[in-house]
Amino acid sequence: MQQSHDALLQRFEPSVAMARTLGAKTVVLPYMTDEHRNEQGWNAALPNFNRFATQLKSAGFGFAYHNHDFEFTIRPGGVSLYDRLLRETDPALVKLELDIYWAAHAGEDPAALIDRLSTRLYAYHVKDMRPDRSMTAVGQGTLDFAALFKRKSGAGVQHFYVENDQAPAPYLPDITTSFRTLRALRF
């Protein structure tokens, strides 16, 4: 189940109640709003991640953070926001939902990132990237998902979410292409 930073900060108990109602096992922080996409905002938000994870664990849930590209590209003092996330959060509590497309879009090597994140990986967001770096259905782009998924360092990944933020309507052909591609993968 996804829940915003502000919801977890201001409405924690209702967020937990919703997760229970939905039968969720993990609460994912899926997006940071613009006010957190800079050094000052990240500094204010980052300590909450460990707190959310600790409180969620006490309530019987896991916690994971979902990236976009800004965490890699915003680098105050030469250190990315993502590196700060890794360094300043408890690996046993704060897991990661790796959006492969957004990491690659930011210039990261997804294979190296998967190896680096290893036991912190909770889930993958699976979207493909065209040579012009735009999003496309899985199998229509340049990312080698079979090679990424067979990496031993990703063995603990529990969920694979197919997503295309830029899918053209009607959506069914895009979804069908992604489904067929992933179903045919062998790794």
Side-chain angles (χ1 to χ4, degrees), residues 14-27:
S15 296
V16 167
M18 182 188 304
R20 272 201 186 91
T21 298
L22 294 173
K25 293 186 167 117
T26 300
V27 174

Side-chain angles (χ1 to χ4, degrees), residues 52 65-66 104 108 122 168:
F52 296 154
Y65 180 80
H66 173 88
E108 295 292 314
Y122 160 74

Side-chain angles (χ1 to χ4, degrees), residues 102-125:
W102 283 119
H105 188 271
E108 295 292 314
D109 173 359
L113 190 56
I114 289 167
D115 291 346
R116 184 172 160 216
L117 300 177
S118 188
T119 59
R120 289 191 82 166
L121 287 170
Y122 160 74
Y124 291 137
H125 267 232

Side-chain angles (χ1 to χ4, degrees), residues 139-161:
Q140 300 295 300
T142 61
L143 297 174
D144 184 352
F145 291 103
L148 294 174
F149 296 162
K150 73 180 178 184
R151 301 190 80 73
K152 289 184 176 142
S153 51
V157 171
Q158 297 175 34
H159 302 284
F160 295 70
Y161 300 106

